[in-house]
Amino acid sequence: MERRKIILDCDPGHDDAIAILLAGKSKYIELLGITVVAGNQTLEKTTKNALNVCQYLELDVPVYAGCGQPMIRDKQVISEEIHGESGLDGPAFEILERKAEEKHAVLYLIETLMNSDGDITLVPTGPLTNIAMAMRLEPKIVSKIKEIVLMGGTYQLGNVTPAAEFNILADGDAAHVVFTSGCPIVMVGLDVTRKVLCYPSIIERMEKSNSKASQLFGELMRFFNKSQKEVFGWEGGPLHDPVTVAYLIDSSVLKTKEMYTEIDIRGTQSYGRTNCDFFGNSGKKANSKVAVDIDTEKFWDIIEEGIKEYCAE
Ligand code: BDR
Ligand code: CA
C-alpha cells in the first residue's frame, strides 16, 4: 500500500499534538517532516512542544521552526486561555534532548516540494504563515503541492470572534495567499470539528490501550477539556486538528462540498472570516472543498487505531 506523503505544519497546541500522534505511526501516512509556526503560543514554545511530543513518542521525524509572526499584522494572536502558558500544559515531559533542524521551515518546504514528484500533501493545523511565505518566496511550489488539507475557518460561527476561527484570524493575510493560490484545498473548519467533542468517556476509551500514546492523549485532553469548559462551557473539547489527518487516513470520514472561499482581510470586526459561498451565489468557481459533515464514530475509531499503533512495540 502506498502511504500518503505529508508535511504537518502546526502550532502545538493540544490538538496539534494529537495530529502528530495520529500521523506519526500511521500505516497510511508517511510523515516527512513537521514544520512549526507561532499560533497557540510563541514560536519558541510551539517548537519546543513539537519536539517534546516527538521525543516522548519516539518519532524520528525532523522538526523545523518557521515564522514567529504573521505576514502583515503587527500582533501575534495566541491562545493561552485554551492551551496554557506553555502552549501544551498538562503532561510533564522529560528533559528535552531533541533539537529543531537548522533550516528554516519555509526553506525546508520550498526545497522539499521542488525536489518532489508533486506527491506531497501539506497539512496545516495552525496559522498559514509558513505556507504563504513559502508560496511568495517560490511561487513554483504551488504546482508541486498535491493538496492542502487544512484545519481552519468556518462557514458558520467563529471561535475567537463571531466571524473568525483562530488559525485564519491569527494570519488572515496568509490565508488569503493560500486560498487564492490555485492549490487544491480541503478546508476542515469548525463546522465539523465542533462535532468531535472529546468527552471524558472518550478519554477513558482511549486510555484502555494503555501505552505511552494513550497516556499522552489522556493528559493532554484532561487539560484541554478543563479550559474548553471554562471558555466555551463544553464538557468535551473539540479535537480540531486531527480531523485533517483522519481524513487522509480515510476520506469517507468527512463529507465535503465544493465552494468558493474568500478570506476577509479588509474587515475590522470580521477580519479573518472564511466567506464560504455555500449556495454558490457569487457564481465564482470553487477554490476549496469545505467539510460539511463528519462521521464521528468513524473518527473516534481512527483515533483509537492510531493510538493502538504505539502498543505494537
Ligand atoms: C484551532 O485553533 C487552535 O487553538 C487549535 O490548535 C486549532 O488548530 C481551532 O480553532
Ligand atoms: Ca493548531
Side-chain angles (χ1 to χ4, degrees):
M1 178 194 21
E2 215 183 312
R3 290 152 82 213
R4 184 120 177 204
K5 289 183 186 160
I6 73 162
I7 297 173
L8 189 59
D9 184 65
C10 56
D11 62 335
H14 294 69
D15 50 337
D16 301 82
I18 307 299
I20 296 175
L21 183 157
L22 186 58
K25 285 207 193 284
S26 170
K27 43 182 177 292
Y28 304 100
I29 284 177
E30 185 180 348
L31 180 57
L32 301 178
I34 296 175
T35 51
V36 186
V37 67
N40 286 321
Q41 262 296 355
T42 61
L43 180 67
E44 199 191 328
K45 292 182 182 179
T46 53
T47 305
K48 185 175 176 202
N49 295 340
L51 291 166
N52 264 324
V53 171
C54 290
Q55 178 174 291
Y56 177 86
L57 294 173
E58 294 172 48
L59 295 175
D60 192 16
V61 184
V63 173
Y64 300 83
C67 298
Q69 268 183 287
M71 289 182 87
I72 294 174
R73 301 187 93 189
D74 305 326
K75 204 170 166 277
Q76 179 73 52
V77 186
I78 58 164
S79 181
E80 188 156 323
E81 68 289 4
I82 298 288
H83 300 275
E85 204 244 311
S86 71
L88 204 60
D89 282 11
F93 293 105
E94 283 175 9
I95 293 168
L96 184 58
E97 309 282 355
R98 283 216 38 185
K99 287 196 170 33
E101 305 296 313
E102 291 282 315
K103 195 172 285 179
H104 193 281
V106 171
L107 298 180
Y108 165 74
L109 282 165
I110 293 173
E111 282 177 25
T112 312
L113 287 163
M114 291 311 293
N115 291 327
S116 77
D117 297 329
D119 56 351
I120 299 175
T121 298
L122 300 184
V123 186
T125 61
L128 289 160
T129 322
N130 286 343
I131 312 291
M133 289 292 277
M135 285 177 171
R136 283 295 190 248
L137 199 54
E138 181 45 276
K140 289 196 196 96
I141 64 166
V142 168
S143 60
K144 286 286 203 168
I145 300 170
K146 182 177 162 116
E147 197 173 30
I148 298 180
V149 179
L150 65 94
M151 192 282 135
T154 171
Y155 59 85
Q156 300 177 90
L157 289 174
N159 57 356
V160 184
T161 68
E165 179 277 333
F166 177 81
N167 289 339
I168 307 296
L169 176 107
D171 196 347
D173 305 282
H176 169 78
V177 170
V178 171
F179 276 84
T180 54
S181 68
C183 255
I185 294 175
V186 177
M187 179 184 124
V188 180
L190 299 174
D191 317 292
V192 292
T193 65
R194 274 193 185 126
K195 294 183 182 172
V196 282
L197 299 175
C198 190
Y199 291 118
S201 56
I202 299 277
I203 299 178
E204 280 160 33
R205 169 178 164 192
M206 300 305 161
E207 281 180 334
K208 285 211 176 92
S209 65
N210 201 15
S211 65
K212 278 186 115 177
S214 65
Q215 193 182 326
L216 181 64
F217 185 91
E219 287 172 6
L220 286 171
M221 287 304 110
R222 284 203 173 82
F223 180 90
F224 191 60
N225 277 356
K226 194 162 79 52
S227 42
Q228 290 284 347
K229 169 95 175 150
E230 280 160 18
V231 177
F232 295 107
W234 289 321
E235 293 305 327
L239 199 50
H240 308 286
D241 294 339
V243 177
T244 53
V245 181
Y247 172 77
L248 290 168
I249 290 174
D250 181 352
S251 63
S252 71
V253 76
L254 290 178
K255 189 173 157 213
T256 61
K257 181 173 157 66
E258 298 215 345
M259 297 184 208
Y260 175 70
T261 298
E262 192 163 18
I263 313 299
D264 187 349
I265 49 170
R266 308 253 178 263
T268 45
Q269 303 96 323
S270 305
Y271 175 87
R273 168 135 193 100
T274 42
N275 281 311
C276 301
D277 189 7
F278 193 98
F279 296 108
N281 305 1
S282 69
K284 289 184 179 162
K285 194 170 167 277
N287 60 353
S288 54
K289 282 188 196 163
V290 177
V292 293
D293 208 356
I294 183 161
D295 182 335
T296 52
E297 255 178 63
K298 197 174 270 182
F299 174 75
W300 293 120
D301 287 347
I302 294 171
I303 296 286
E304 188 173 29
E305 214 177 289
I307 288 175
K308 282 187 177 155
E309 294 292 344
Y310 291 80
C311 297
E313 293 153 4

